[in-house]
Amino acid sequence: MPPFTDEEVVAAFPEFHVTVPEIGRGNQKVVYRATADAEIALKIMLWDIATAGVDDDNDEEVDEAVERFHREIHGMTSVNCPHVIRVAHGPGTREIGNSSHYWYTEPFLVGGTLKDRLRSGPLPATDVERIANALLTAVQAMWNEGRFVHRDIKPGNIGFLANGEVVLIDLGIALFTEMNPITGSSVAGPGTWQYAAPEQFDIKRLSNMDFRTDQFQIGIVLFEALFGVRPFNGYGAAYAANLRSFDSSLLDDHRVTPGLRRLIPRLLAGSPSERYRRIDAALEDLNGGI
Amino acid sequence: MFFLQHGHGKSNKIEEVAATGYLGGVILSPGSEDAPALSATVARCRQLGTRVLMDPQSFIYATNPQGSARFHERHGLDLTDMSWAAPASSLVRHLRLVRSANINVGLEREFIAPAPYNANLIDYWVPTSLQYARTAADEWRGTSVLATLAVDESAFDDWARVSDWLDALTTLDLTGFYLIVNRTGQPYPPIGWEARRLANLLRTIYTLSVLNEYEVLWGYSDLDGILGTAVGADGVAAGWSYGLRQFSIRRYNETRAGGAQPVPRLYIRALMSDIRNNEINDILQTEYGRQLLEPELRGLRPDTLTNPAAQVQHLRALATEVGELESLVDYRDRIDLVQSRIGIALDHFSRLAETGLALEGRYVNRLRSYSEAIDAFRSDVSL
């Protein structure tokens, strides 16, 4: 049970028209649809600030959740890219009922997520190319401006705004390479294993993850958007091994444009060194014509 | 581009090779000559409009026993405290010494960074090498920096390890890499590579140059550089003496006691091989063999061939091979051409054998290893 009621939320945010009940809830956040000058998603941390991060006896999990929240906000505010979700209002703290909570808003995904769209089947190649351009641009911005890796690019984290723009959402497990690791955030383990890159399954001896890890995840997403299925099969160690040998003949299909035919095998290369060192080169491959 | 791997000695070899129109640059060895000599070479190269780089040869200080180079001290290259356990200040000091040595001979815009020798890709010297490269990129910001990759050939046996290494190398923000691969103990011409090893080396060059857009300069590559150029190397190098046509780390640990005068060899384009002078004499005796030689070689009297003349012929021919190959913009076309030429060369050797000529087996073995390595490379990168 959340530490507040829907009515207490409506009362706590008089500047917005908050629609109840909530539209989503995770372990750490609850989300309400709301309206200000445009449709927004109001996100409220479930933890009471009064007990989070101030007490030595407090649960480590709470401290970590609070740190993640701050980093997610940091990510959203440090990158100026139309394809990375931005904070619309906040962040701030607000008394809600008898407790105090972090909150912020972001644009509401009027067009839903890619996961929603894929429920009705694969997308036309032109739509996939548009998504590819947006995701590559987002990854470039996250790395160049914020020095972080999203690590959890999947259809459920790709949304469509009211103006049709594709945006990458949920920076909750992003790896910030220039910050101290928080518990669990620097481990190699993937966010969502079905979309993870091979290096997320093992500890690299000489290097850490970088933006090339996000490229692999984009590769899986684009393949799934084209064909309705993911490109790799199997479970456990066998699955992780399969990730190192993408069969590019799977793209020999009339639905695949020359740009995507060039792009996807590079994104899905087993080693980061065989992916793109410059996102501009990926965009050139994608948009370079026949 | 073809680079001359400069040792010591004064002659007009640089001008002779430059006259082909295919000399891309000269790589200086501070261990072989003092600063005034190198400065003079730099000035000559500038007059020719040729690029000049200095290999700091730092790798010799990361071997056990530690190597030595006669003129390093005179260049101020005191790198003897190179250690995987050295503090960061020592590493920065080495970079400053190398930069000073460059500037002292008139090289101010592009630098080859120092690095230790990597006998394999798993010991503590590997992260040290990466640290040198990363620090050089930072310390020398605003200039062109090539990181040294001085590696033993056996390091290329296991692609999984090479791949891990490349994942780390490709995080470096610098112009490119100066790659030298140790082939200790090889005669000249060297015996053929183990094909898998060479295929992995070619894939390394391809990954760094074609996929990651770094400049790759493969030092001491000699004839192997033709394959390197095909898979994307921007520069390959060879020197006039046989010791400058392959990299051997052991060379810096040896006390030289002289030795027999090297046998002159000429590069025969149709055979893609450096053939010994007495064998050329035999080839000239056959009608089929005479047709294989370039017109300017058909009137040759091999018994009068001198080493300096043979060296110039080799370097000019190799520079031309590399330059002509580079006229093909697409690396796939280059690979096709080189593979085709290797096949034709092997066929020529078969035909020569049918005439009763017994040539050194190393020529054919080397070409076969090239052929197998290219096949493996093509398969590895789905070409």
Side-chain angles (χ1 to χ4, degrees):
Chain A
M1 285 290 291
F4 42 72
T5 65
D6 287 346
E7 291 70 26
E8 287 170 333
V9 171
V10 171
F13 292 94
E15 69 270 45
F16 307 136
H17 177 70
V18 179
T19 304
V20 294
E22 68 202 35
I23 56 170
R25 179 198 300 257
N27 290 331
Q28 299 163 15
K29 277 183 288 205
V30 61
V31 184
Y32 289 86
R33 190 168 183 168
T35 309
D37 43 350
E39 284 209 84
I40 53 174
L42 169 62
K43 298 194 168 184
I44 306 169
M45 287 281 286
L46 290 169
W47 313 107
D48 182 357
I49 295 169
T51 58
V54 296
D55 182 352
D56 284 347
D57 296 329
N58 200 8
D59 189 351
E60 267 186 26
E61 192 186 343
V62 177
D63 290 344
E64 188 184 322
V66 170
E67 179 62 24
R68 279 192 197 287
F69 171 80
H70 285 305
R71 291 194 176 194
E72 182 172 9
I73 295 295
H74 173 73
M76 293 168 77
T77 54
S78 62
V79 174
N80 183 18
C81 172
H83 304 297
V84 178
I85 196 77
R86 302 273 298 170
V87 172
H89 305 89
T93 58
R94 189 68 58 97
E95 296 295 325
I96 307 175
N98 295 320
S99 52
S100 183
H101 299 267
Y102 290 111
W103 68 275
Y104 68 94
T105 75
E106 62 186 33
F108 187 74
L109 301 176
V110 174
T113 67
L114 179 59
K115 185 177 179 181
D116 300 332
R117 294 198 178 184
L118 289 176
R119 286 200 182 99
S120 51
L123 303 183
T126 49
D127 287 0
V128 178
E129 286 191 327
R130 195 168 67 86
I131 292 167
N133 272 298
L135 295 178
L136 290 168
T137 305
V139 165
Q140 184 175 42
M142 288 189 295
W143 185 251
N144 289 351
E145 297 173 30
R147 223 63 188 167
F148 66 90
V149 186
H150 189 287
R151 292 202 297 183
D152 199 18
I153 298 174
K154 59 184 179 182
N157 283 342
I158 297 161
F160 299 90
L161 298 176
N163 63 3
E165 286 281 22
V166 179
V167 287
L168 192 53
I169 63 171
D170 198 355
L171 310 185
I173 70 151
L175 174 68
F176 291 81
T177 56
E178 293 182 349
M179 290 184 182
N180 291 328
I182 56 174
T183 309
S185 82
S186 67
V187 297
T192 306
W193 69 267
Q194 294 94 335
Y195 296 91
E199 63 270 22
Q200 290 179 274
F201 287 88
D202 52 43
I203 304 288
K204 305 291 280 184
R205 199 174 59 85
L206 292 170
S207 59
N208 295 316
M209 273 181 269
D210 58 31
F211 69 105
R212 297 174 296 183
T213 297
D214 283 346
Q215 289 179 32
F216 193 94
Q217 298 188 329
I218 293 173
I220 294 180
V221 167
L222 297 181
F223 188 97
E224 184 175 1
L226 277 168
F227 297 106
V229 293
R230 289 186 294 273
F232 302 105
N233 298 313
Y235 293 97
Y239 176 79
N242 286 342
L243 296 182
R244 297 200 176 274
S245 52
F246 172 64
D247 177 4
S248 57
S249 69
L250 294 173
L251 296 169
D252 295 339
D253 185 291
H254 69 278
R255 284 170 291 180
V256 183
T257 60
L260 290 168
R261 183 71 181 75
R262 285 188 294 266
L263 176 75
I264 292 174
R266 279 292 296 277
L267 298 178
L268 291 177
S271 297
S273 64
E274 295 181 325
R275 297 176 208 146
Y276 293 99
R277 191 162 70 92
R278 286 188 310 118
I279 291 293
D280 284 345
L283 292 169
E284 285 160 20
D285 271 356
L286 174 62
N287 302 313
I290 295 171
Chain B
M1 288 191 291
F2 179 76
F3 282 70
L4 269 178
Q5 200 89 44
H6 194 281
H8 56 79
K10 293 178 176 61
S11 75
N12 60 349
K13 293 190 183 76
I14 296 175
E15 287 78 2
E16 292 264 19
V17 181
T20 62
Y22 292 121
L23 179 62
V26 174
I27 304 166
L28 302 178
S29 302
S32 300
E33 291 187 321
D34 60 15
L38 290 192
S39 297
T41 304
V42 170
R44 283 167 62 199
C45 291
R46 291 268 156 78
Q47 283 185 330
L48 293 167
T50 297
R51 191 174 166 199
V52 195
L53 292 161
M54 179 192 282
D55 172 1
Q57 301 171 309
S58 56
F59 41 80
I60 67 173
Y61 300 112
T63 58
N64 189 12
Q66 202 170 56
S68 64
R70 189 174 162 206
F71 287 101
H72 274 192
E73 198 177 324
R74 291 206 212 167
H75 288 279
L77 288 172
D78 175 18
L79 311 177
T80 52
D81 61 343
M82 180 173 272
S83 163
W84 57 269
S89 58
S90 169
L91 192 149
V92 171
R93 188 180 71 83
H94 290 171
L95 288 168
R96 291 183 180 159
L97 292 176
V98 168
R99 188 183 168 107
S100 291
N102 273 272
I103 289 170
N104 283 344
V105 300
L107 301 175
E108 296 173 341
R109 287 194 297 274
E110 47 183 351
F111 304 103
I112 296 178
Y117 175 63
N118 295 153
N120 54 59
L121 296 179
I122 54 172
D123 71 13
Y124 34 74
W125 286 111
V126 180
T128 309
S129 297
L130 285 163
Q131 201 53 42
Y132 270 96
R134 210 176 292 283
T135 310
D138 195 39
E139 284 274 314
W140 298 344
R141 198 174 295 279
T143 64
S144 171
V145 178
L146 298 180
T148 295
L149 305 175
V151 190
D152 188 72
E153 62 173 319
S154 63
F156 293 93
D157 288 351
D158 180 351
W159 179 252
R161 281 190 183 145
V162 176
S163 178
D164 272 358
W165 181 55
L166 289 170
D167 288 347
L169 290 179
T170 50
T171 63
L172 295 170
D173 183 16
L174 33 69
T175 307
F177 298 95
Y178 172 58
L179 171 68
I180 50 177
V181 182
N182 177 55
R183 297 204 74 199
T184 295
Q186 294 290 335
Y188 191 85
I191 58 169
W193 287 77
E194 195 281 307
R196 169 43 58 192
R197 184 176 284 181
L198 179 57
N200 287 346
L201 171 55
L202 297 176
R203 190 175 175 187
T204 297
I205 293 167
Y206 165 81
T207 301
L208 291 174
S209 60
V210 176
L211 297 185
N212 285 280
E213 304 172 289
Y214 288 108
E215 176 179 350
V216 176
L217 171 54
W218 184 9
Y220 299 91
S221 49
D222 198 44
L223 298 185
D224 303 339
I226 296 173
L227 275 68
T229 303
V231 299
D234 301 276
V236 295
W240 33 86
S241 71
Y242 295 157
L244 290 169
R245 295 187 198 174
Q246 54 184 324
F247 173 58
S248 168
I249 191 75
R250 198 184 291 169
R251 213 171 147 231
Y252 297 92
N253 296 115
E254 291 169 344
T255 305
R256 300 283 188 85
Q261 179 79 354
V263 179
R265 293 172 177 274
L266 291 179
Y267 181 74
I268 307 301
R269 185 181 169 90
L271 300 174
M272 294 183 78
S273 302
D274 274 88
I275 307 293
R276 224 170 46 199
N277 60 351
N278 62 314
E279 292 174 318
I280 292 172
N281 204 33
D282 296 341
I283 290 172
L284 281 166
Q285 304 306 311
T286 68
E287 179 58 32
Y288 184 75
R290 267 195 301 281
Q291 290 169 14
L292 297 180
L293 302 189
E294 292 90 304
E296 64 269 25
L297 297 179
R298 285 179 198 155
L300 184 79
R301 283 189 52 204
D303 54 325
T304 63
L305 185 65
T306 63
N307 267 313
Q311 288 163 354
V312 167
Q313 189 273 344
H314 171 86
L315 295 172
R316 285 174 57 91
L318 185 52
T320 304
E321 285 273 28
V322 171
E324 289 180 357
L325 192 55
E326 284 178 336
S327 68
L328 299 174
V329 175
D330 192 321
Y331 69 91
R332 285 163 285 221
D333 295 335
R334 295 183 190 181
I335 293 168
D336 287 345
L337 177 62
V338 169
Q339 194 161 30
S340 157
R341 294 230 1 242
I342 291 169
I344 292 168
L346 282 168
D347 188 50
H348 287 321
F349 275 112
S350 296
R351 301 280 297 274
L352 287 171
E354 286 166 12
T355 69
L357 271 184
L359 302 174
E360 280 187 46
R362 272 183 291 173
Y363 308 139
V364 166
N365 288 340
R366 191 176 54 81
L367 289 170
R368 282 193 185 130
S369 82
Y370 281 176
S371 181
E372 288 172 28
I374 291 178
D375 283 342
F377 168 80
R378 278 183 181 279
S379 167
D380 292 342
V381 303
S382 305
L383 266 186

